Amino acid sequence: AIEITNKKKTSLKSLLNFGSKYWLRFLGIIIIFLAITLIPLILLVYLINGFVQNLSIAIQVSSLLFILFLVILLFVFVMLSPYFLIMRDIGVFSAISESFNFAKANYGSLLLITLIFVTVEILIGLIPYIGHIINLLLIAPIQTLVLAFFISARKAGEKK
């Protein structure tokens, strides 16, 4: 992401060489993401399921959508951790702290970007057979570039 952001080009060789030193730290961030998002999500779904089990399907679906929205609201604070991990060459907890501080200062914009990409991914994911492939090969790289440029632009704006 740094090479693309700074030089506007990259190569597979440089990606493999550069990425090999970050895989263990990136794994740590993934484990923390799972703890932050999936564990509360599973607990909330389990608790709400017990409360709304006898209610209509519309209430059940709206409850799950509300929970998903809450998880997205919280996820915005930590979603940039992998970017800071690589762009700043820092540790896992430093990257999470940096992401949290950056998200606090730019929460509205980050939430809007996240909601746009989540909506696009859901809609494209509905396309039979190829929707998930399009998300993986087209939308995910675009999202990565948008967030990398967003971080660079906002950090450059802070320095002025």
Side-chain angles (χ1 to χ4, degrees):
I2 294 172
E3 187 176 8
I4 292 173
T5 304
N6 295 336
K7 298 179 183 176
K8 309 293 188 245
K9 66 177 184 171
T10 191
S11 68
L12 185 58
K13 181 181 176 186
S14 67
L15 290 174
L16 291 175
N17 289 336
F18 189 73
S20 63
K21 77 177 202 176
Y22 292 103
W23 72 270
L24 192 58
R25 285 188 267 172
F26 190 71
L27 179 64
I29 283 185
I30 290 173
I31 291 169
I32 291 172
F33 276 1
L34 291 175
I36 290 173
T37 57
L38 281 183
I39 292 173
L41 181 64
I42 290 169
L43 289 173
L44 283 171
V45 167
Y46 178 75
L47 289 173
I48 294 231
N49 188 35
F51 291 120
V52 298
Q53 192 171 18
N54 297 327
L55 301 175
S56 72
I57 191 76
I59 294 175
Q60 292 177 7
V61 169
S62 61
S63 298
L64 290 175
L65 289 174
F66 177 72
I67 291 170
L68 179 63
F69 185 71
L70 287 177
V71 169
I72 289 172
L73 290 176
L74 296 174
F75 185 71
V76 168
F77 286 105
V78 294
M79 73 180 209
L80 298 177
S81 299
Y83 297 90
F84 287 115
L85 177 87
I86 294 169
M87 294 171 88
R88 301 270 165 83
D89 194 15
I90 55 180
V92 172
F93 293 105
S94 298
I96 291 170
S97 174
E98 189 92 13
S99 175
F100 185 82
N101 292 332
F102 185 84
K104 261 194 325 190
N106 301 286
Y107 189 77
S109 301
L110 276 175
L111 182 61
L112 182 63
I113 291 169
T114 303
L115 290 175
I116 288 169
F117 275 105
V118 166
T119 303
V120 168
E121 288 174 356
I122 289 171
L123 293 175
I124 291 177
L126 295 174
I127 300 171
Y129 306 113
I130 62 167
H132 297 294
I133 296 169
I134 292 171
N135 275 334
L136 182 65
L137 298 178
L138 183 65
I139 304 303
I142 291 172
Q143 180 180 5
T144 300
L145 291 174
V146 165
L147 290 173
F149 283 124
F150 180 75
I151 291 169
S152 294
R154 291 295 168 110
K155 286 295 181 179
E158 288 177 6
K159 292 179 184 175
K160 291 182 180 178

